[in-house]
Amino acid sequence: MPDLATLAPLIGFLLAVGAFAGVLAGLLGVGGGIVLVPAFYYVFQVLGYDGANIMQVCVATSLATIVVTSWRSVKAHAAKGAVDWDVLRGWGPGIAIGAAVGVVVATRLRSETLTAIFAVLALIVATYMALSKPHWRIAPEMPRGGRRYAYSPAVGFASVLMGIGGGSFGVPLMTLHGVPIHRAVATAAGFGMLIAVPAVILFLILPADGLLPPYTVGLVNLPAFVVIVAMTVLTAPLGAKLAHAMDPAPLKRAFAVFLFLVALNMLRKALF
């Protein structure tokens, strides 16, 4: 085990990241996991854990925290009547199936490959966040029929490979199909539950190889989970409140630049 002098600043770092991730999940609807996965990756590497499944541990632990964060965020948004329950009911089964398939695929990839996938998808998300305009539309309503059956598993699958709650894909999907931004953010919080719950169950029971951080069950690291959740349960409702009180567009573009740089750094580590 690392000594206290090493652990203390890293725990402080994770507490700050957890607070930021909770606000982010409620405010921008991009999912706190998009911050947590790189943070876990950094902390575990500093502690000397860089084995065959370390990126899978980052993804699984992030999704475990999203179970709690999404639940808190959905409650806060639902209290304001912002959640579209019809969308959640219609898209839920496909998203959950895609998430389960994502777990199976993720556990079969090399850590470096999963890191590269995260980085590439994060670059796409960051680019969209930086360039998108509120008036962009593909259609006036959410996809139905065959398109919904194709899109919903894709949202769950891609989200699990990134360890995120679905907001990064769900919010753009909904806004491009005519859903108002605040309603899209609120409903995407529900996507997080649909993705994270089945994914975490599988990550807890699937076997893992290589040197893992202490107190890792399956692929979920319990200490990192506890530290993050301690902060996100406090700050996710704050993010939801801010989302209804301000225009998040300027902050979204600033975060896109930050995410772009983080993704480039992770891609560099995965490839070189």
Side-chain angles (χ1 to χ4, degrees):
M1 288 289 291
D3 58 35
L4 185 60
T6 301
L7 283 177
L10 293 177
I11 292 172
F13 171 72
L14 285 180
L15 286 171
V17 168
F20 179 56
V23 172
L24 200 68
L27 177 59
L28 301 183
V30 298
I34 211 162
V35 174
L36 295 179
V37 171
F40 291 151
Y41 189 71
Y42 166 75
V43 168
F44 291 147
Q45 285 199 321
V46 169
L47 293 176
Y49 299 100
D50 194 17
N53 286 134
I54 197 61
M55 187 61 179
Q56 284 82 348
V57 173
C58 298
V59 165
T61 306
S62 171
L63 287 167
T65 69
I66 288 168
V67 172
V68 180
T69 303
S70 293
W71 174 68
R72 293 277 293 177
S73 187
V74 168
K75 283 187 62 179
H77 284 298
K80 298 179 180 295
V83 178
D84 192 326
W85 297 106
D86 288 336
V87 169
L88 287 182
R89 282 190 290 269
W91 286 64
I95 289 174
I97 290 170
V101 174
V103 171
V104 174
V105 171
T107 54
R108 283 162 170 72
L109 295 174
R110 295 173 60 245
S111 182
E112 294 84 359
T113 304
L114 189 58
T115 303
I117 291 172
F118 175 93
V120 170
L121 292 176
L123 288 173
I124 294 171
V125 171
T127 301
Y128 180 84
M129 290 177 64
L131 301 179
S132 64
K133 304 295 183 183
H135 63 270
W136 284 6
R137 294 291 183 274
I138 294 175
E141 63 178 10
M142 288 289 285
R144 299 178 182 275
R147 291 174 64 212
R148 182 176 69 186
Y149 297 139
Y151 288 171
S152 56
V155 169
F157 179 79
S159 297
V160 163
L161 292 185
M162 292 188 71
I164 61 177
S168 297
F169 301 112
V171 171
L173 176 68
M174 284 185 275
T175 56
L176 288 172
H177 289 85
V179 178
I181 182 61
H182 288 128
R183 196 162 185 82
V185 169
T187 307
F191 281 12
M193 292 290 295
L194 295 168
I195 292 163
V197 170
V200 169
I201 291 172
L202 290 174
F203 274 129
L204 284 170
I205 62 178
L206 288 173
D209 298 323
L211 180 64
L212 301 179
Y215 307 107
T216 297
V217 178
L219 285 163
V220 177
N221 183 255
L222 298 182
F225 166 79
V226 171
V227 170
I228 294 298
V229 166
M231 299 306 298
T232 57
V233 295
L234 298 176
T235 58
L238 173 60
K241 184 180 296 185
L242 290 173
H244 291 273
M246 64 178 288
D247 177 13
L251 180 58
K252 181 173 289 189
R253 282 166 173 74
F255 177 71
V257 174
F258 165 76
L259 177 59
F260 199 89
L261 295 174
V262 169
L264 283 177
N265 185 53
M266 292 188 73
L267 188 61
R268 176 187 63 81
K269 290 183 177 180
L271 298 180
F272 300 105

